[in-house]
Amino acid sequence: MQIVCKNLKVGYEGQVVRDNINFTVEKGNYLCIVGENGSGKSTLMKTLLSLQKPMGGSIEFGDGLNANEIGYLPQQSTVKRDFPATNFEIVLSGCLGHNKNKFFYSAKQKEMALNAMKELRIDGFRKRCFRELSGGQQQRVLLARALCATEKVLLLDEPVAGLDPKVTAEMYELVKELNTKRGITIIMISHDLNDALKYATHILHIGNDIFFGTKKEYLNSEIGKQFTSELRDNIICETCGKKL
């Protein structure tokens, strides 16, 4: 297991937002975290990133994963879009967590940043300023930055929020490729249950009731039936291509 959460309690400023959260993440999983607004999804993600401490329970990392080896793509609303830096500089900054006390990037890290930009098909923008790009292009830059921080796990907080349908579909396909071709574990917060169920292998539903299991188990659960009744006829399994 890469991540094991046991009886986890999350919150901030002394206020508990959600408790009794239990789930596991194995290498190569594609976990989507869904639930109503204000249910604690983003608070959980910040806790997984060690940006805030658990208020109870535990988070255990295994399978050679360290807490500083998790790449993070935040919500667009939390990103300053007027960075004066070049896109290459922003992508390269994803290597900072590995530099410890070093002040300069190595040739290997620069090569890694360029390869990440090539993989996400944005290397043609490497010398341009971040603020000159469209919202979808900026998200690719920030995803490339997250890739420089990890080869193991990516945490994505509503990565397609505010993007148009075409760019949204392209972003989902890029993330899918990272999962299926690179074997990178994906943990994604999504407000779009339809897309979550299209791509995910596992679902963590947070609310008054908490559910964790495979996509099929979720669809057959009471909470899953409640929230997917209007979607079920259109959900296609990514593996076999059949309706679930």
Side-chain angles (χ1 to χ4, degrees), residues 1 10 13 26 34 72 115 130 135-136 190 219:
M1 297 290 181
V10 300
E13 296 180 355
E26 295 186 40
V34 300
Y72 176 48
N115 287 338
F130 183 76
S190 177
L219 289 170

Side-chain angles (χ1 to χ4, degrees), residues 18-239:
R18 195 64 56 195
D19 62 2
N20 199 32
I21 303 173
N22 294 275
F23 68 95
T24 59
V25 180
E26 295 186 40
K27 182 179 179 180
N29 281 172
Y30 193 134
L31 171 66
C32 273
I33 304 174
V34 300
E36 301 87 342
N37 289 337
S39 60
K41 301 187 296 296
S42 292
T43 304
L44 170 60
M45 188 162 284
K46 290 175 183 176
T47 307
L48 291 174
L49 289 165
S50 301
L51 298 176
Q52 53 195 48
K53 295 181 179 180
M55 299 185 72
S58 65
I59 302 174
E60 300 173 7
F61 297 100
D63 197 23
L65 177 68
N66 296 316
N68 66 346
E69 294 180 303
I70 298 176
Y72 176 48
L73 177 61
Q75 292 184 38
Q76 271 206 332
S77 58
T78 63
V79 176
K80 293 183 178 180
R81 299 186 178 90
D82 58 350
F83 287 146
T86 67
N87 296 306
F88 182 72
E89 289 170 335
I90 289 175
V91 174
L92 188 58
S93 69
C95 298
L96 279 173
H98 306 297
N99 273 6
K100 297 183 179 180
N101 296 323
K102 297 178 182 178
F103 297 101
F104 301 99
Y105 296 107
S106 67
K108 182 178 180 181
Q109 288 173 330
K110 292 178 181 178
E111 182 181 6
M112 181 191 303
L114 182 57
N115 287 338
M117 297 188 80
K118 288 180 178 177
E119 185 171 8
L120 298 183
R121 298 182 279 281
I122 52 172
D123 53 306
F125 305 140
R126 62 184 181 275
K127 294 182 180 180
R128 291 177 59 185
C129 187
F130 183 76
R131 61 190 174 199
E132 297 175 358
L133 303 186
S134 67
Q137 291 167 342
Q138 288 180 343
Q139 283 298 82
R140 290 194 187 208
V141 168
L142 295 174
L143 182 56
R145 180 184 186 276
L147 278 177
C148 285
T150 187
E151 295 180 351
K152 298 179 180 180
V153 180
L154 282 174
L155 269 60
L156 314 176
D157 193 349
E158 297 194 10
V160 299
L163 303 182
D164 66 47
K166 180 177 182 295
V167 176
T168 292
E170 291 172 350
M171 179 63 73
Y172 275 127
E173 284 300 314
L174 285 173
V175 174
K176 176 187 172 184
E177 289 178 13
L178 294 174
N179 177 245
T180 57
K181 295 181 180 180
R182 293 264 305 263
I184 295 176
T185 302
I186 304 296
I187 303 176
M188 178 190 291
I189 290 178
S190 177
H191 69 280
D192 189 331
L193 190 54
N194 190 33
D195 282 321
L197 290 170
K198 180 179 179 181
Y199 293 100
T201 60
H202 294 74
I203 300 290
L204 174 63
H205 189 123
I206 298 179
N208 292 329
D209 296 311
I210 296 175
F211 172 91
F212 170 71
T214 65
K215 176 164 54 180
K216 186 173 183 179
E217 289 170 342
Y218 178 68
L219 289 170
N220 291 327
S221 69
E222 289 303 314
I223 190 170
K225 291 176 181 177
Q226 177 184 349
F227 283 88
T228 64
S229 58
E230 297 180 2
L231 302 174
R232 298 177 70 85
D233 291 339
N234 297 315
I235 299 170
I236 304 296
C237 177
E238 285 292 300
T239 303

